[in-house]
Amino acid sequence: MHELSLCRSIYGIAERAAAGRAVTQILLDVGQLRQVVPETLVYCWGVVTEESALEGSQLRVTSIPAVIACADCGANTTLQGVPMLLCGRCGGGSVSVTSGEEFLVRSIDVKD
Ligand SMILES: [Zn+2]
């Protein structure tokens, strides 16, 4: 379960950004190719922040769909479920991932 270590990284980022202020909410973008379960991440956040400076803060996870671009026909294909790295239009394999690999703290809300 790598969600726990991910939460520890987020904690470090949020703690530095907050600089002693109370954090209310953290918005996180996670690409679907990251193999992260958002519910597990939120659960782990509760564990990591328990009895810490960030206790009570909310972690809100936005799943970013995985999209691949085809070098042969130019089509963009949004991957559903299990990633199949083939173009949805022509079936070609000359594709590159254009989104889905994000792991980004988008914003950290603090109390004034
Ligand atoms: Zn194609």
Side-chain angles (χ1 to χ4, degrees):
M1 190 164 76
H2 65 311
E3 279 85 354
L4 201 54
S5 58
L6 289 171
C7 279
R8 291 205 180 96
S9 316
I10 300 164
Y11 185 95
I13 294 166
E15 193 182 35
R16 273 196 302 279
R21 293 166 295 178
V23 174
T24 53
Q25 177 173 274
I26 294 160
L27 300 183
L28 184 73
D29 287 351
V30 180
Q32 287 183 347
L33 295 176
R34 285 290 182 154
Q35 308 287 326
V36 168
V37 182
E39 291 77 17
T40 308
L41 206 57
V42 170
Y43 171 78
C44 288
W45 183 250
V47 173
V48 166
T49 58
E50 195 174 14
E51 294 181 16
S52 78
L54 300 187
E55 185 170 26
S57 59
Q58 299 289 314
L59 185 67
R60 297 194 192 279
V61 182
T62 303
S63 268
I64 308 296
V67 177
I68 54 171
C70 178
D72 292 333
C73 74
N76 285 319
T77 305
T78 301
L79 302 176
Q80 309 280 357
V82 179
M84 278 268 294
L85 294 178
L86 293 175
C87 174
R89 185 194 285 170
C90 71
S94 304
V95 295
S96 55
V97 174
T98 58
S99 80
E101 293 179 318
E102 294 82 357
F103 192 86
L104 177 73
V105 176
R106 184 201 288 279
S107 77
I108 297 168
D109 294 346
V110 295
K111 269 188 202 141
D112 293 326

